[in-house]
Amino acid sequence: MDSFRMLVALGPLAIYLLLLGLVNLLPRPYLTTGGRDTAALGVALSGFILIGPLELFMPHWPSAHWSEFMWVFWLLLGVLCTLVLTLIVLSQRPRLVIYNISADELRPVLAEAAELLDADARWAGGSLALPRLKVHLHVEPFPGMRNVTLAATTDAQDLGGWRALEQTLAAELTAVRCRPNPLGGAMAVAAVLLLLLVSANLVRDPQALTQGFWEMLRM
């Protein structure tokens, strides 16, 4: 793999792992939406898609006739991939992802936020219903990553209710303190190693970066 393709493939992934590692090393939980979480993962893997399926199945007839306009085809493919990722994000059920916290630590905080939002809130095992907000969710813990997902259980959900839950829960979590996740350190170290690998490859052969870029445009 040349310097340019290594940068395209590993650069976004390394930045994603670094940010994810830093989030998990925080002494407090971090809340984000499922859409943002999916979008970030999609961007992290975009480099592999670019130098993999897109480059593999890129038609050769445009380069034979309009090599100077190949950047237009790459631009259109980038727009297409962005639209596909957007469609995936929009088609998902509402979700909230809370990093660096266990389900047992989250439950009392979530219960307090639910009481503030809806006096009719009720629990059923690991499921929570907020009928006034039209929000029905299930608590899905991921002990290996030490994060929790609040996933919608049905398609009949009110996005306004989910936004209210997100804001209230985020305010409640500001007072919560927890130990940093050791896995965050491993992800940060892996990210730094990837960045060092890419940087060393670029320093060893800086001209290959420009050459690989133009080769991809004119393929």
Side-chain angles (χ1 to χ4, degrees):
M1 185 184 298
D2 58 54
S3 300
F4 175 72
R5 286 171 174 80
M6 181 176 290
L7 175 64
V8 171
L10 299 182
L13 179 62
I15 295 174
Y16 174 77
L17 288 175
L18 182 60
L19 293 176
L20 195 59
L22 294 177
V23 164
N24 279 275
L25 289 174
L26 293 173
R28 57 182 178 81
Y30 178 81
L31 183 147
T32 187
T33 64
R36 296 190 200 112
D37 191 60
T38 301
L41 180 60
V43 172
L45 299 178
S46 62
F48 289 98
I49 297 173
L50 178 64
I51 69 169
L54 290 188
E55 187 174 7
L56 180 63
F57 295 107
M58 169 69 76
H60 293 285
W61 60 265
S63 60
H65 299 84
W66 303 295
S67 59
E68 64 273 18
F69 298 110
M70 279 300 295
W71 63 272
V72 177
F73 289 89
W74 282 110
L75 179 62
L76 293 176
L77 282 175
V79 172
L80 176 62
C81 290
T82 302
L83 292 176
V84 170
L85 179 58
T86 303
L87 178 62
I88 293 173
V89 170
L90 294 177
S91 62
Q92 290 179 327
R93 288 180 176 178
R95 273 188 311 136
L96 294 177
V97 182
I98 304 95
Y99 288 100
N100 204 23
I101 195 171
S102 66
D104 292 335
E105 293 171 322
L106 176 64
R107 178 149 181 157
V109 182
L110 178 59
E112 186 174 350
E115 290 178 4
L116 292 174
L117 289 168
D118 190 343
D120 297 330
R122 57 184 183 274
W123 286 88
S127 298
L128 173 64
L130 304 172
R132 294 186 180 180
L133 272 67
K134 297 182 180 178
V135 170
H136 303 270
L137 60 89
H138 182 72
V139 180
E140 299 177 355
F142 294 88
M145 289 290 294
R146 233 181 111 220
N147 61 41
V148 181
T149 297
L150 306 180
T153 56
T154 65
D155 292 326
Q157 304 282 335
D158 187 347
L159 294 180
W162 277 90
R163 282 192 291 268
L165 176 61
E166 177 191 356
Q167 295 170 358
T168 304
L169 185 56
E172 293 293 323
L173 287 172
T174 56
V176 177
R177 291 294 177 267
C178 54
R179 68 186 188 281
N181 186 358
L183 189 59
M187 288 187 287
V189 170
V192 171
L193 291 177
L194 288 176
L195 290 174
L196 288 175
L197 176 63
V198 172
S199 301
N201 204 33
L202 291 177
V203 170
R204 185 174 65 252
D205 190 7
Q207 293 182 348
L209 177 64
T210 305
Q211 182 179 355
F213 173 74
W214 287 113
E215 285 180 355
M216 179 173 285
L217 286 184
R218 296 171 179 172
M219 64 173 296

